Amino acid sequence: MLSRLITILGGRTPVRFDDLLRAGVGSLLGLALAGVAARALSGGDLGLGPLLVGPIGASAVLVFAVPASPLAQPRAVLGGNVISALVGVACAMFAPHPVVAAALAVSLAIVAMMLAGCLHPPGGATALTAVIGGSAVHDLGFGFALVPVGLCSLLLVLAAVGLNRLMGRSYPHRVPAAASPHATSDPAPQSRVGYTAADLDQALAQYGELLDVSREDLDALFRQVELAAHKRLHSAIQCGAIMSRDVISVDAQQSAESALAFLRSHDLRTAPVVDGEGRVVGMVRRAELQAARQRPVESVVDPFVHKVRETTPIEALLPLLSSGAAHEALVVDDNRVLIGIITQTDLLAVLYRAHIVEAVVAERAAA
């Protein structure tokens, strides 16, 4: 019954009970902690009770209900409230009429926050409070921006950091970068094809509206959408488009012991073996290196390795890497020089990218 009522009240966007609980409990504890701390730090002698500063309550809505929003990040909360308070106090001092001062305070606060990169909706209320807050606010002058506004904003942010993390949320919000499991410079397999950062920037510029979501969150969301759209893939994509170029390889003449340490440092169980000219000799595995120790790598190399060219369609790799007969294929040039490697992980990643084929085919048709 409760979940149904939540869905009805929420319209088209159902609200999860966990989110309600986190937002409610977080704002309760956050405001209480911020208020008590503000009283203690000021010796209980604030000119205006910190919990009576209405905009701080609005800030709590953002930091506890939507902590991933760019408008709720610490820079926005602190900068937006303090800048808006300063603007509001200035307008109250120099504008000829309270109505004019109020309108100027809100509009100039919005402009100032946007220019400073700390847009925070409660900042508009902060600027307005500085104008219409009465003598208790006016007597503080520009000090109003520090106490209670700045102090309460800081304490609210500190409370939000601790409470959001206790509740399993990331605050300040950061989108984790896809890490390379082998400490190479190559991007994650799923990020090597498809749209680019420039494509996303162009789309945002054409959209022409300010969104309450960060570019990094949009990118992460779009990647997830792409992974869910794995419907089509065929031979239009070539090996050169999905291979890892920063290949970890070992020299045939180095000692097995040094090669073993090298593989361990990159968390690899196998690696290509090349000669002095960079030509592929074969593959080597940890187990053989462990047994060989002081002998050269070439003494335990496995010469049997699957080699392909950059122009080989990835369709040719499907039966090979999906059968269990091999876990990787080496990409070489006409002289057998190693230029890349494709693993089962690389191939699986591209199979989940639905729109890539359409883009490649369209590009070829236009050429």
Side-chain angles (χ1 to χ4, degrees):
M1 178 65 73
L2 178 60
S3 60
R4 184 177 180 182
L5 178 61
I6 291 172
T7 302
I8 293 173
L9 294 177
R12 291 175 177 263
T13 307
V15 180
R16 297 181 304 177
F17 179 76
D18 287 350
D19 290 332
L20 281 178
L21 184 63
R22 288 172 176 173
V25 174
S27 58
L28 171 65
L29 296 177
L31 279 173
L33 290 173
V36 170
R39 290 282 188 186
L41 289 173
S42 62
D45 191 30
L46 284 180
L48 186 66
L51 294 181
L52 297 180
V53 182
I56 300 301
S59 296
V61 173
L62 289 172
V63 300
F64 291 108
V66 283
S69 169
L71 306 179
Q73 300 312 297
R75 175 187 175 92
V77 177
L78 291 169
N81 279 332
V82 171
I83 288 174
S84 297
L86 292 172
V87 170
V89 170
C91 290
M93 287 180 173
F94 302 110
H97 191 278
V99 174
V100 175
L104 275 176
V106 175
S107 62
L108 292 178
I110 293 173
V111 172
M113 286 188 289
M114 294 182 71
L115 288 174
C118 55
L119 185 63
H120 187 58
T126 302
L128 189 60
T129 300
V131 175
I132 65 173
S135 59
V137 173
H138 297 161
D139 291 345
L140 294 173
F142 286 106
F144 173 70
L146 297 179
V147 178
V149 172
L151 176 61
C152 288
S153 297
L154 175 61
L155 293 172
L156 181 67
V157 166
L158 293 176
V161 170
L163 292 173
N164 272 307
R165 292 185 179 180
L166 283 176
M167 293 184 289
R169 288 180 168 183
S170 170
Y171 186 83
H173 178 67
R174 294 183 180 87
V175 179
S180 169
H182 304 302
T184 66
S185 60
D186 283 304
Q190 65 269 23
S191 301
R192 295 175 192 166
V193 283
Y195 75 86
T196 64
D199 295 329
L200 180 58
D201 290 337
Q202 182 179 3
L204 289 172
Q206 291 176 346
Y207 189 74
E209 297 286 344
L210 184 63
L211 299 177
D212 184 15
V213 60
S214 70
R215 179 184 175 281
E216 293 75 18
D217 280 322
L218 280 177
D219 183 50
L221 178 62
F222 291 163
R223 298 290 178 188
Q224 291 298 320
V225 171
E226 287 183 328
L227 291 175
H230 55 94
K231 296 180 180 178
R232 299 173 304 277
L233 190 73
H234 53 64
S235 60
I237 301 178
Q238 299 176 346
C239 290
I242 69 168
M243 68 180 183
S244 298
R245 298 179 181 272
D246 184 13
V247 184
I248 302 299
S249 62
V250 297
D251 189 273
Q253 300 301 319
Q254 74 180 105
S255 69
E257 187 172 16
S258 65
L260 179 63
F262 186 60
L263 262 62
R264 284 174 174 166
S265 68
H266 287 279
D267 194 24
L268 291 171
R269 296 190 177 279
T270 64
V273 180
V274 298
D275 62 17
E277 302 299 325
R279 293 187 294 266
V280 173
V281 175
M283 295 290 294
V284 70
R285 299 169 183 82
R286 278 197 196 182
E288 287 82 0
L289 293 173
Q290 180 74 31
R293 286 296 181 177
Q294 300 304 320
R295 287 186 287 164
V297 170
E298 63 179 354
S299 65
V300 292
V301 69
D302 181 1
F304 184 78
V305 60
H306 293 278
K307 295 184 284 290
V308 295
R309 303 295 178 86
E310 283 191 86
T311 54
T312 301
I314 64 169
E315 186 180 46
L317 296 179
L318 291 175
L320 171 66
L321 299 186
S322 63
S323 65
H327 299 287
E328 64 283 309
L330 302 183
V331 185
V332 298
D333 64 13
D334 294 338
N335 297 317
R336 292 190 300 111
V337 173
L338 179 65
I339 57 176
I341 186 171
I342 298 175
T343 66
Q344 290 173 324
T345 302
D346 299 327
L347 192 59
L348 284 172
V350 77
L351 289 174
Y352 280 88
R353 305 294 300 277
H355 77 281
I356 302 170
V357 173
E358 296 177 357
V360 174
V361 172
E363 182 180 349
R364 290 188 175 183

